[in-house]
């Protein structure tokens, strides 16, 4: 064990991926870690009841994969051995983006592809090997117990209706987008956390297929081309020789719910690659539907009377558009930030621990939030607070995207930014800007000739 920060218990509200990763971190600092989960234990490789998005495509960015490996050494090899699909992000992904195809080359950025239930199952297995982590299923947290502006536990209710208090030194809210922490804080008279929300009106429809042969044999991503086109889709190979096909759209009144609608929808995309791949294929699952109304982030670090010892993580802290596959990776990076902050404390958690951790989480969120909004505000149906300098940022990103269709160095750096391995400012270096504008000029000449 690392430095002992809590003498007794740490409580995790919610067995989400963020909750599981937080539990792994706290197991090094607390004598006992209890994950309180409202759902029953999942005995099959299926999405948990409270995670309807689990039926849809999920990707783990390279930064998230590396964070996961740091928390669970050897888990990436385990995932691959059990069927996860390693894939080079540039050479094995055909990506149609803003009207052009990305150049394909060996980028060296290899990711692993699998379904979310498959990933959660492997994380769960690892947690069950840690002796000081336990699970309390079919139990809901009705509130957080606060004394002298410090969280000292939670109030629980079981499926039988029994109510009791469970005390701890640290309480982590990993309950996702439906987090009740804002309401609990208000009821305790501690105020309401500031919130930033951007409405996008996004939907997903997904299903699995077997033995598909998409373009170039690898993954296929057809991104919408706003403001002209608001529809898109993706195909990715996952475990069990299955392929996840996910369709998406912004501000769509009639999303696909059945077989016929699913196929017809693919005909409306800017490229017919997905349609050609699945038109004669046999699906192995029905169509699953999910709606994502808005991005949101709470600014808990700006609250004057936020209780120490209470930490909000994952989607309960910030929820970003899943199109960009950042959610699980952000949760993993937040878990490492939690570990780094806790390692500074001797004895019981110090004063302002929660504020300092939430500040770390905010810094982690800032870049993914900016990346998502710079694209989301290209759609007419998006509404909310726009980032500073958005028009210039969108103009420049369009140039970068065009350059990625010709220049492997530009695309390679763009990949690092998307995977949260490099700061976006690296795309503004003089050397990179010269390559970007030279490639854009070539692209324009080529287009005019054809």
């Amino acid at each position: 064990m690392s430095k002992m920060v809590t003498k007794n218990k740490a409580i995790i509200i919610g067995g989400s991926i963020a909750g599981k990763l937080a539990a792994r971190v706290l197991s090094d600092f607390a004598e006992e870690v209890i994950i309180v989960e409202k759902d029953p234990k999942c005995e099959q490789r299926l999405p948990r009841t409270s995670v309807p998005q689990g039926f849809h495509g999920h990707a783990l960015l390279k930064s998230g994969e590396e964070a996961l490996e740091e928390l669970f050494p050897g888990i990436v090899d385990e995932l691959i051995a059990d069927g996860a699909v390693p894939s080079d992000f540039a050479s094995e992904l055909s990506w149609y983006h803003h009207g052009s195809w990305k150049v394909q080359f060996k980028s060296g950025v290899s990711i692993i592809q699998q379904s979310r239930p498959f990933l959660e199952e492997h994380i769960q297995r690892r947690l069950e090997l840690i002796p000081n982590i336990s699970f309390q299923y079919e139990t809901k947290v009705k509130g957080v117990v606060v004394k002298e502006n410090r969280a000292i536990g939670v109030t629980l209710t079981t499926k039988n209706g029994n109510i009791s208090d469970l005390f701890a030194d640290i309480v982590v809210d990993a309950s996702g987008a439906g987090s009740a922490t804002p309401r609990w804080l208000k009821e305790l008279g501690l105020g309401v956390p500031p919130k930033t929300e951007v409405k996008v009106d996004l939907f997903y429809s997904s299903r699995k297929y077997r033995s598909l042969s998409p373009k170039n044999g690898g993954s296929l991503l057809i991104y919408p081309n706003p403001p002209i086109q608001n529809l898109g889709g993706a195909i990715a190979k996952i475990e069990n020789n299955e392929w996840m096909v996910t369709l998406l759209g912004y501000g769509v009144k009639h999303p696909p719910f059945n077989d016929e609608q699913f196929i017809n929808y693919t005909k409306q995309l800017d490229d017919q690659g997905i349609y050609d791949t699945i038109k004669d294929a046999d699906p192995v699952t029905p169509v699953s539907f999910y709606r994502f109304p808005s991005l949101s982030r709470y600014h808990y670090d700006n609250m004057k009377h936020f209780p120490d010892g209470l930490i909000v993580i994952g989607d309960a802290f910030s929820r970003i558009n899943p199109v960009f596959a950042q959610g699980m990776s952000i949760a993993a990076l937040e878990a490492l930030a939690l570990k780094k902050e806790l390692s500074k404390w001797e004895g019981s958690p110090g004063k302002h621990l929660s504020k300092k951790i939430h500040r770390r989480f905010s810094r982690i969120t800032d870049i993914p939030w900016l990346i998502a909004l710079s694209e989301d505000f290209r759609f007419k149906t998006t509404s909310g607070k726009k980032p500073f300098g958005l028009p210039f940022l969108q103009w420049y990103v369009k140039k970068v995207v065009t350059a990625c269709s010709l220049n492997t160095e530009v695309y390679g750096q763009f990949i690092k930014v998307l995977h949260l391995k490099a700061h976006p400012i690296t795309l503004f270096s003089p050397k990179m800007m010269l390559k970007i504008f030279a490639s854009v000029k070539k692209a324009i000449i080529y287009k005019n000739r054809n």
Side-chain angles (χ1 to χ4, degrees):
M1 296 178 69
S2 303
K3 298 176 183 177
M4 186 63 66
V5 171
T6 64
K7 296 178 180 180
N8 297 307
K9 294 185 180 69
I11 296 172
I12 314 291
I13 305 172
S16 62
I17 285 182
K20 288 178 169 67
L21 300 184
R24 167 62 191 91
V25 168
L26 284 163
S27 71
D28 285 342
F29 299 94
E31 291 180 349
E32 184 180 4
V33 179
I34 302 173
I35 299 177
V36 181
E37 171 57 51
K38 64 181 180 180
D39 291 340
K41 184 176 181 179
C42 191
E43 301 290 355
Q44 295 178 300
R45 190 180 291 170
L46 295 170
R48 290 179 291 114
T49 304
S50 58
V51 188
Q53 66 269 33
F55 288 97
H56 303 272
H58 278 71
L60 193 60
L61 302 180
K62 192 63 182 180
S63 57
E65 176 191 313
E66 291 174 351
L68 187 67
E69 180 70 16
E70 183 174 337
L71 293 169
F72 301 101
I75 194 170
V76 173
D77 287 341
E78 289 178 11
L79 288 163
I80 294 172
D82 283 353
V85 181
S87 175
D88 184 273
F89 192 80
S91 67
E92 297 178 272
L93 168 65
S94 298
W95 184 359
Y96 187 79
H97 191 193
H98 287 308
S100 63
W101 289 98
K102 297 279 193 294
V103 62
Q104 291 185 279
F105 72 106
K106 285 284 186 181
S107 67
V109 179
S110 179
I111 61 171
I112 50 173
Q113 299 175 171
Q114 63 276 304
S115 67
R116 175 164 177 159
F118 180 89
L119 179 61
E120 286 205 53
E121 178 185 61
H122 284 76
I123 295 174
Q124 178 78 16
R125 286 182 194 170
R126 284 297 194 98
L127 291 182
E128 290 175 351
L129 296 175
I130 301 174
N132 62 332
I133 295 179
S134 62
F135 296 82
Q136 196 160 329
Y137 294 104
E138 298 182 90
T139 303
K140 294 182 180 180
V141 176
K142 303 299 290 183
V144 60
V145 181
V146 175
K147 182 179 180 181
E148 297 177 356
N149 207 40
R150 173 172 288 279
I152 62 169
V154 296
T155 300
L156 305 177
T157 178
T158 66
K159 65 177 180 178
N160 297 322
N162 296 324
I163 299 175
S164 62
D165 287 339
L166 181 64
F167 296 101
D169 298 87
I170 288 181
V171 176
V172 177
D173 179 5
S175 59
S179 166
T181 290
R183 175 170 57 82
W184 294 338
L185 294 175
K186 182 179 180 181
E187 291 172 352
L188 290 166
L190 300 175
V192 178
K195 180 184 180 183
T196 301
E197 186 172 23
V198 175
K199 296 181 179 180
V200 292
D201 190 18
L202 170 72
F203 87 88
Y204 275 110
S205 285
S206 299
R207 68 190 324 178
K208 293 179 185 178
Y209 289 79
R210 281 196 184 275
S211 304
L212 295 183
S213 299
K215 183 177 180 180
N216 294 335
S219 299
L220 178 61
L221 174 57
I222 310 298
Y223 187 79
N225 189 15
I228 303 168
Q229 173 64 283
N230 63 332
L231 314 178
I235 299 177
K237 190 174 184 180
I238 57 173
E239 71 276 3
N240 299 327
N241 196 34
E242 294 181 335
W243 295 78
M244 178 70 75
V245 180
T246 295
L247 306 179
L248 61 96
Y250 290 80
V252 175
K253 293 183 179 179
H254 304 290
F257 284 100
N258 59 36
D259 294 5
E260 183 181 2
Q261 293 171 357
F262 198 82
I263 294 293
N264 288 338
Y265 190 90
T266 63
K267 297 178 184 178
Q268 302 175 54
L269 306 186
D270 271 1
D271 181 86
Q272 297 295 290
I274 296 179
Y275 170 73
D276 291 338
T277 302
I278 70 171
K279 62 181 180 179
D280 298 318
D282 293 323
V284 296
T285 63
V287 176
S288 296
F289 175 78
Y290 177 69
R291 189 173 290 282
F292 181 89
S294 59
L295 296 80
S296 61
R297 60 186 297 189
Y298 288 97
H299 305 279
Y300 289 111
D301 48 317
N302 292 337
M303 290 187 69
K304 187 175 181 180
H305 299 295
F306 189 87
D308 243 337
L310 175 61
I311 298 164
V312 186
I313 195 171
D315 280 2
F317 185 81
S318 64
R319 192 185 192 203
I320 296 182
N321 188 336
V323 165
F324 304 97
Q326 298 166 325
M328 295 191 301
S329 296
I330 291 173
L333 294 172
E334 288 174 345
L336 291 187
L338 175 63
K339 178 180 179 180
K340 190 170 184 179
E341 191 62 40
L342 287 175
S343 67
K344 296 179 180 180
W345 300 95
E346 296 279 3
S348 61
K351 191 176 182 181
H352 305 310
L353 174 67
S354 295
K355 181 178 287 290
K356 291 179 179 180
I357 288 174
H358 289 149
R359 283 176 179 170
R360 282 183 177 271
F361 290 177
S362 287
R363 288 194 292 270
I364 290 170
T365 301
D366 284 341
I367 296 304
W369 182 265
L370 182 63
I371 290 172
L373 292 194
S374 67
E375 290 301 303
D376 286 339
F377 273 109
R378 296 185 191 275
F379 297 93
K380 297 176 181 178
T381 52
T382 300
S383 62
K385 183 180 179 181
K386 296 181 178 180
F388 176 76
L390 180 64
F392 169 76
L393 182 61
Q394 290 178 324
W395 171 83
Y396 188 70
V397 168
K398 200 83 162 178
K399 303 296 182 187
V400 174
V401 169
T402 301
C404 288
S405 67
L406 295 172
N407 191 296
T408 58
E409 190 172 346
V410 174
Y411 186 25
Q413 191 60 34
F414 186 61
I415 288 172
K416 291 178 183 178
V417 172
L418 290 179
H419 284 265
L420 310 181
K421 293 288 293 175
H423 195 283
I425 197 67
T426 58
L427 292 170
F428 290 85
S429 71
K431 179 182 176 182
M432 190 59 61
M433 291 179 72
L434 284 172
K435 292 181 181 296
I436 289 167
F437 286 108
S439 298
V440 169
K441 185 176 180 180
K442 288 181 181 178
I444 293 173
I445 294 173
Y446 178 80
K447 184 177 181 180
N448 291 336
R449 286 177 178 174
N450 293 274

